[in-house]
Structure formats: C-alpha cells, structure tokens
Amino acid sequence: MTSISGPVVVLLTVLQWAGRGLPSPVRPICDPRVLDRFIMEARDTETALRGCKAGCGVTGTYVVPLTNVDFVVWETKDTEEQALEVQSGMSLFGQALGAVRESVSRVAVQILIDNNKSNIHSLGQVLRSLHIQDLPLPPAPAVGDLVTRKVSSLSELLHVHTNFLRGKVRLLLTNAPACQQNST
Amino acid sequence: MTNNNLNKLLVFCVLFCAQKTSIVHGAQALETKVALLLHAEPENPKCFAEGMSDLTCFWEEDEERAGSADQYSFIYTYQNENSSECSVTALPAAGGKRLYFCRLSQTQLFVPLDIRVFRDELLIHNRSLFIELVFLLDPPANLTLTSTGTQGQLKASWLPPSLKYMGDSMMYEVSYTMAGSHIGKVEEVQASSELILRGLQSGTKYKVRIRVKLDGISYSGYWSTWTDPVLMETMPGDLDPLIVSLSLIISLVLTLLSLLVLMSHRRFLLKKIWPIIPTPESKFQGLFKVYVFASLEYETRYEEWLGHSTGGLWLRPAYFYSEEFPAPLEVLSEVSLGPALPSSALPPKASEALGEEDEDEKLKRVDSALMEGWRETPQEHWPMDQLRAIHQHPAPWTQSSLLESHDAYVTLNAQNHSGEEPLDDILEETLPLQVLFASGRTSSESRSDLGSFQQSSGLGRLSSQSSFEYPNHTWPPKGPGYTYMAVADSGVSMDYSPMSSSKIDDIGKGVIYTNEYKNEIPAHRRPIGTPIHFAF
C-alpha cells in the first residue's frame, strides 16, 4: 500500500501545481452576440431603473470612464492601449456598481445590479480569452481625469455603462487580433 | 512641352468630369436621403450619419420665413466638452421650401451630443442624440441574382456597405415579387452578404431589391432606400408529381363516367349507329310469329286429347312449330264438294310462316301433308267419326285440353281434284281451305269472323274458302251436335263463324250466338304467302 500511494501522491501534487500555475488554454470568444447580450441586459436595467423615484435611494457620486469614441483617434491607438482603456473602465464600473449595491434596499433593484456585475465579470473572462492580459489596475483616477468623470445618479451610471459597452468594449472585441486571425 | 500640357489638360478634364459625375450622383443620393428623413424623422434638426466620422444635419423652412444661411447658427456640444459651431448652408427645395444643412466631419460616438440651432440669437431647434444611433447608409451595391440549381430557388448576393466595425451589425431586408405583380414577400437577414430565396414558382420572373439598416444593439439608424430592382427568371419546373397524379385520377374518373353513360345508353346508341331494319311485324301483330311445336305442355294435352279420342291416326307433322301455346291443327276433309278428300290431320299447330322466306317451305309441307290426307280417301269420314265419337262424350272432351287449348281444325276442300295432282297445279279457287275453330269458351269470347282465306301467289299453295260459300245447313255432317267455329284466316284477317253440328241433324233448332268480327284487309294488300295465324 505505501509503495503505491507514494507515487500517486507525488503525481497528484504535480498535477495540482500544474493546474494552478499554468493558464488553461481558452478558446477566444469572438462571437459578437456574447457582448450583444451584455449590452442588451445593461440597457434593460437602465430602462427599468429610469423611472426609479429618488434615484432608487441611491445617493453619492461615482467615477465612471468616458465613453466617447472618435474612430479616427481610436484607430491610432494600438490594441494594448485600447485594452487598457476598456479594462480600466470596466473596473471602474465594477466598483461603482458594488457601491450602489450596498446602498439600495429594494430587492428587485439589487437583482438587476447583481446581474450587471456578473456581466462585467464575464466580460473580463472574454477579454482574457482574447489574450488580452489582465493589466495591473491603474491607480484610482483622480477627479478631473480626462478619462473619467463623475455621475451622481444610478440611472446615469447605468446609462454610461451601456454606452461604454456599446462603444469601446465592442470595438475592442470585434477588432481583437485573436478574432481577426480566425476570420481572415 | 505641348504634349505635356495637353496631357495635363486631358487628365484634368477627366478628373473634373468624374468629380462632377460623383458630385451629381452624390447630390442625387443626398436628395433621396433628405426626402426619406423628412418623412421618417419627426425631430428637428434631422441628422444622419453616413460613415464612421460624419454627421449631416438639416432642417426645413418655408420660403417666406426663411432667411439667409448667415442668420442661422448651429451649435453642438459633446458631453463633458465645450461647444462647437457648424457652418450652415442653404439649398432650395421643392414646394417653396428651403433646406439648411450642417455637416460635421469629425464625430464622437457613444456619447450624447447636444445640438442647438439659433436663428438670429433665437433658439429654434434643440436636440440631443447619439450619432451611432442615426445611421442612414447607402443601399447595398452590386445586387445580383443567380440560380442555385434547385427549382423554385434564387440566390441573391450583394456588397455590404463598407463600414468598418459595423459589418456584423447590419441587417438587410430583401423584397421579392413576381414580375408584374404588386404583392411581394420580404425576408430579413443579418450580418450576411447573400440570401437564398425559397418557395418560388418555377419558370417565373422575379423582381428583387434590398435595403440595409443597422441592427440597433450597438448601432442603429434608418432603413436605407431600396436598390434598383433586379430581374431573374427561376428554373423551369418539372411536372409536379402531385399535379400529375391528380390529373391522372381525374382523367380516369372522367373515363369511367363516360363509359357508364355509354353503357346505360348503349341501346339508344346502337339504334343510332346500327339502326334495326324495320320489319312489318309490329304492324301485323302475331302475323309473323313462329310457334314452336315442341312444347311439352301442349304435347301432354295433345296426348290427352288423343287418349280421349278413339285413337285416331292424327298425323302430327313435325314441320310446324309454334312459339307460343300451340294449338292443334286438325285438317278435316270436306265431304260435300267433289270427291271427298280426306283431310290430313294437322293436329299440331297452325303454322306460322316465319317471315317470308320460310313460308314457302312450310306451305309445301302443309301441301304434302294435305296430299297425304287427300290420298286417304277411304278415310274420308274418319275424322267425322272421331268427332262424332268425341261428341258422344262431350264432358271429357269438353274438358279436354283440346278445347282448352283452343285447337283449330282446318278442313281442306278440293274441287274437281284428284289427289294425284300436284299441288302446284291446284289453283286457289279449287282448294279452299277452311278452318274450323272449336272453342270451349263462351261464344261471347269467340270471334266469328268470316272471311275467305285465299292466297294468291306463286308461293301460296293453299287456299281457303269462306264458309259463306257453303250454306250453314249444307255443311257436311260433322257429328253429333256440338258447337264449333269455323275460322277462316286470310293471313291478315280471320273470320270466325260458329257452327253447330247439331244443326246438321237438327237445323233450325237452337240458337247459336255469334259475335261478328270483321278484320278485313284489302285484297291487294294481302301479303304474299299469307300464313295461318291463330290467336288464342
């Protein structure tokens, strides 16, 4: 017994290390319908909470990224820079939605916010599948940064979130090199 | 030097012409889009984006209130940015209107854009929009139709608008109608550059056109204008098996119906196609009938009758056949006239000539039979004896089938005749033929139709003479008193006269009730070879 269990233990240990360290190969998610689904859900959340009275009880200001895209300018940026913009923006949204989640009391609103937060997390997975490395989060952008701005209501937060997904995130995903190689 | 200048001039002209063409074309496209947006967009100013980095806005004003373009100012502001101004241009429009345009060549998407239009410092229009949501694209180019090789199908292919990043967001609407028809179908397809139209009719020309729009998730906009229609004819179709089978079934059913109709009316059709040769049978009821002699019933009765009689040697010629209930024909000889001639009995039936062709033969047979009877001269009274004997036993005799069967008795009379003479030389006047009809029925039923039966023809051998020629009382003694009827059949008429043998002995006693029945036919109409006909 001991003679058999010894090598087995060693083997299992090695496998465990391998499982931790080595990144599992993930097939690139290039289907635009994946992001389309996230966009539609974000839009539905925005629509649902637009009529929320008193901002659904949400007070405070939240830092959100800028969503404007100038194609001429965008095309001058390389993929990494684009990815950086996207990922930093996504993290900002994650933080903001987390803070909102804590301040809302209505269960229905909480469900919607949770859904959006999970979508943001899934988007991170999608980006990772496109070999867009997780860049270290930049330091918390200060107010007045060119790339961020402040919002003070939940509806505006969600609106910005939707616009961000429709714009920069989508542009990044549809033009990811991993997807371009598959199509060409 | 001169050549270079000429070349340059030539190139310049070409470019200018090309540009002019494109400008003209562009102007036409703009005009189309303006008209479309005037109809589709309620807000002012109406704005649309044609590409990735442009925005065209315009508004319409009446000529009367319109001012110059300088009076208007178009201010636009992106979110979190400073305002900017766009230069306004004016263009005349149809219907006494004026259009004012503003075109941006650098735009930002996915961010709200505020637009304010001032006219002499007066705000006339205010609008906030997302540029990526007001796309109005050019219609797809190079729409082509090809055959797929399958019946009822066409493949439509086109060139998508060349917009970067938006290929998978485009939605197309394909409209196809039969050439000449106004009712068409529409099919939508997303993010594709071709579509297979199915369910089309074979061998039909179809008109196809297409328009494009962004799907509305990331980008949105208005439906583009339709492309120019493209015509294409589908493959000629084979016979649909369903149609073929249905046609076969219908033709089979029609054939069966026509056959049924023909069969049900075959007699009518046969009469028309093969008309029956008319015969005078219908005019002379029973005249041309043939009586079949071989009737068992009759033979039985005849045997019966023979049994009642004292065994007379009735000749039963087998020549005559009766079709119906036959009547025995007994030929009795006439005593009073000339040498008494035996009558050959013809117990069987009166013969009926079967048509004119058989009559001659039958008459010949009758003649031969009669001749045989005539030769039996010594037996001239033999039939009378028979009758006398019968009369002595009237009951059984009357009950015999003989009477019930309405036997007919034919007497042959010969005048100045020797039995040796062939019948051929016998003239009709010398061979009267009398038919005695004895009926068990009441006299009311009987017919006394006296007439003379005379045949006048080369074929006719027999002749009869009416009993009128013989006074009743001079009738040769027949036997003990019994009533009988003398029938004279001329072939077209029958004469019956009730006779009573009792009158021979006791003339004047008793009354015989007779019913006269005349059935006379003019002599010239007497058919040739008139047969003897007995109707019972």
Side-chain angles (χ1 to χ4, degrees):
Chain A
M1 282 293 282
T2 53
S3 60
I4 300 171
S5 65
V8 171
V9 168
V10 169
L11 183 63
L12 286 173
T13 310
V14 167
L15 286 173
Q16 204 172 13
W17 285 339
R20 277 184 199 164
L22 297 173
S24 56
V26 179
R27 289 175 62 183
I29 301 171
C30 296
D31 192 350
R33 290 177 292 183
V34 173
L35 179 61
D36 287 348
R37 185 194 134 216
F38 296 149
I39 292 169
M40 282 191 280
E41 286 182 359
R43 193 193 299 170
D44 293 341
T45 306
E46 176 195 346
T47 309
L49 299 181
R50 190 176 296 162
C52 214
K53 290 180 180 179
C56 302
V58 174
T59 56
T61 59
Y62 307 96
V63 178
V64 290
L66 298 176
T67 60
N68 56 324
V69 172
D70 191 334
F71 281 111
V72 177
V73 174
W74 179 264
E75 284 172 356
T76 60
K77 298 176 184 176
D78 57 6
T79 309
E80 287 183 1
E81 199 173 343
Q82 293 172 358
L84 181 62
E85 275 193 55
V86 167
Q87 283 171 332
S88 62
M90 295 304 293
S91 67
L92 285 174
F93 279 118
Q95 291 173 18
L97 286 175
V100 166
R101 173 69 172 79
E102 292 173 4
S103 62
V104 294
S105 58
R106 287 168 60 180
V107 177
V109 179
Q110 287 178 351
I111 292 170
L112 289 171
I113 299 297
D114 288 340
N115 189 30
N116 279 276
K117 280 183 72 178
S118 79
N119 286 348
I120 290 171
H121 183 71
S122 302
L123 261 178
Q125 298 288 343
V126 171
L127 288 171
R128 214 170 292 123
S129 74
L130 299 177
H131 306 294
I132 296 170
Q133 298 279 344
D134 283 335
L135 299 176
L137 287 176
V143 178
D145 198 316
L146 291 175
V147 294
T148 61
R149 67 187 190 94
K150 274 198 162 181
V151 292
S152 57
S153 69
L154 179 61
S155 62
E156 196 177 353
L157 171 65
L158 294 170
H159 187 63
V160 173
H161 177 58
T162 305
N163 293 338
F164 188 77
L165 291 175
R166 288 195 297 119
K168 291 183 178 177
V169 177
R170 187 185 176 86
L171 283 169
L172 179 67
L173 290 178
T174 55
N175 295 287
C179 296
Q180 298 295 327
Q181 288 171 5
N182 291 341
S183 59
T184 51
Chain B
M1 193 77 170
T2 311
N3 286 340
N4 282 340
N5 289 339
L6 280 173
N7 288 339
K8 285 178 186 175
L9 188 65
L10 190 65
V11 169
F12 179 74
C13 286
V14 168
L15 286 172
F16 180 73
C17 291
Q19 204 174 18
K20 199 175 179 185
T21 309
S22 67
I23 287 169
V24 169
H25 186 73
Q28 286 179 347
L30 178 66
E31 198 174 329
T32 313
K33 289 183 179 180
V34 164
L36 195 148
L37 271 180
L38 283 171
H39 181 74
E41 178 61 59
E43 288 191 48
N44 275 314
K46 305 180 198 305
C47 298
F48 62 93
E50 291 173 297
M52 302 294 292
S53 301
D54 63 271
L55 180 70
T56 305
C57 291
F58 67 93
W59 63 97
E60 195 180 39
E61 291 230 8
D62 293 332
E63 193 71 42
E64 301 128 7
R65 299 194 307 174
S68 67
D70 301 332
Q71 293 176 282
Y72 296 92
S73 51
F74 186 93
I75 309 297
Y76 64 96
T77 311
Y78 288 106
Q79 194 176 48
N80 296 337
E81 286 191 11
N82 296 331
S83 302
S84 304
E85 188 171 350
C86 172
S87 59
V88 178
T89 57
L91 284 175
K97 306 257 183 179
R98 246 183 159 193
L99 290 171
Y100 298 93
F101 285 89
C102 172
R103 187 174 175 88
L104 300 178
S105 56
Q106 193 176 1
T107 57
Q108 293 186 28
L109 277 66
F110 308 105
V111 67
L113 175 66
D114 286 325
I115 297 173
R116 283 172 289 167
V117 179
F118 294 93
R119 179 184 164 191
D120 295 329
E121 310 301 328
L122 184 67
L123 183 69
I124 56 170
H125 299 301
N126 187 12
R127 187 181 173 187
S128 176
L129 57 88
F130 285 86
I131 295 174
E132 74 276 5
L133 301 181
V134 291
F135 274 103
L136 180 54
L137 305 173
D138 292 329
N142 294 359
L143 175 63
T144 53
L145 294 174
T146 54
S147 176
T148 61
T150 313
Q151 282 182 25
Q153 283 187 4
L154 277 179
K155 181 175 164 184
S157 58
W158 56 89
L159 196 65
S162 57
L163 284 178
K164 217 173 172 183
Y165 313 124
M166 298 181 194
D168 53 359
S169 299
M170 294 204 182
M171 184 166 63
Y172 303 92
E173 199 175 62
V174 178
S175 161
Y176 56 99
T177 64
M178 278 193 288
S181 169
H182 294 290
I183 302 168
K185 289 186 183 176
V186 163
E187 279 204 35
E188 279 194 11
V189 62
Q190 280 214 353
S192 177
S193 61
E194 61 184 30
L195 175 68
I196 295 177
L197 304 169
R198 300 173 202 274
L200 306 178
Q201 287 189 15
S202 305
T204 316
K205 223 168 191 180
Y206 277 88
K207 189 171 66 175
V208 179
R209 51 182 191 166
I210 187 173
R211 61 179 182 177
V212 66
K213 181 189 168 187
L214 289 163
D215 61 2
I217 299 174
S218 284
Y219 305 97
S220 185
Y222 310 95
W223 278 111
S224 72
T225 55
W226 290 102
T227 58
D228 291 331
V230 176
L231 292 166
M232 177 87 178
E233 190 166 347
T234 52
M235 281 174 61
D238 297 333
L239 287 175
D240 192 7
L242 181 67
I243 292 171
V244 170
S245 59
L246 283 175
S247 324
L248 282 172
I249 290 169
I250 287 167
S251 58
L252 192 67
V253 167
L254 286 173
T255 310
L256 283 172
L257 281 173
S258 59
L259 276 172
L260 277 171
V261 169
L262 278 171
M263 292 304 291
S264 61
H265 293 89
R266 65 180 181 277
R267 289 184 185 174
F268 175 76
L269 288 169
L270 279 172
K271 277 185 190 175
K272 290 295 177 187
I273 297 169
W274 291 296
I276 300 170
I277 299 169
T279 59
E281 273 187 24
S282 59
K283 300 298 178 186
F284 311 105
Q285 289 297 326
L287 185 64
F288 296 97
K289 286 186 183 173
V290 176
Y291 292 102
V292 178
F293 177 71
S295 163
L296 286 177
E297 186 184 2
Y298 171 75
E299 288 185 1
T300 309
R301 295 192 193 185
Y302 182 63
E303 295 289 343
E304 224 175 23
W305 185 81
L306 280 181
H308 286 296
S309 67
T310 53
L313 294 175
W314 300 98
L315 293 178
R316 196 200 302 187
Y319 308 113
F320 305 101
Y321 299 88
S322 172
E323 186 180 40
E324 294 177 349
F325 189 77
L329 180 65
E330 178 183 340
V331 179
L332 305 176
S333 61
E334 180 60 44
V335 177
S336 62
L337 298 175
L341 295 174
S343 61
S344 61
L346 298 174
K349 338 310 156 185
S351 70
E352 292 292 325
L354 178 63
E356 296 179 358
E357 55 274 12
D358 294 330
E359 183 188 8
D360 190 13
E361 283 186 25
K362 291 197 189 279
L363 290 173
K364 279 185 182 171
R365 292 192 222 114
V366 172
D367 293 342
S368 59
L370 292 171
M371 281 299 295
E372 294 174 8
W374 288 332
R375 291 195 186 94
E376 298 175 30
T377 312
Q379 298 179 345
E380 57 181 344
H381 290 284
W382 163 70
M384 292 300 119
D385 296 331
Q386 299 296 326
L387 285 175
R388 213 172 280 116
I390 288 165
H391 188 71
Q392 288 169 357
H393 307 277
W397 189 70
T398 53
Q399 290 174 357
S400 70
S401 59
L402 182 62
L403 290 179
E404 292 171 359
S405 62
H406 309 289
D407 297 336
Y409 298 89
V410 178
T411 61
L412 287 175
N413 299 327
Q415 294 176 352
N416 300 325
H417 163 72
S418 67
E420 303 301 325
E421 288 182 11
L423 281 172
D424 293 344
D425 300 333
I426 298 172
L427 300 176
E428 58 178 5
E429 293 80 5
T430 60
L431 278 180
L433 177 66
Q434 285 189 344
V435 174
L436 301 179
F437 177 73
S439 169
R441 293 184 176 176
T442 59
S443 60
S444 61
E445 279 188 313
S446 63
R447 291 172 286 178
S448 61
D449 193 0
L450 300 177
S452 63
F453 169 63
Q454 292 188 354
Q455 292 189 349
S456 57
S457 68
L459 297 175
R461 300 282 183 258
L462 301 175
S463 65
S464 66
Q465 197 172 14
S466 166
S467 59
F468 281 137
E469 299 174 12
Y470 306 96
N472 289 345
H473 58 279
T474 60
W475 192 258
K478 300 297 178 185
Y482 65 89
T483 306
Y484 61 92
M485 287 197 69
V487 178
D489 184 13
S490 65
V492 294
S493 67
M494 292 182 67
D495 299 334
Y496 299 88
S497 63
M499 296 292 188
S500 174
S501 60
S502 61
K503 282 200 173 181
I504 299 169
D505 297 331
D506 190 8
I507 294 169
K509 293 182 183 177
V511 175
I512 297 177
Y513 298 93
T514 63
N515 296 325
E516 293 277 335
Y517 172 72
K518 295 275 182 190
N519 182 21
E520 293 185 4
I521 292 176
H524 67 276
R525 286 188 191 171
R526 285 178 194 163
I528 296 171
T530 318
I532 303 167
H533 168 67
F534 298 91
F536 302 101

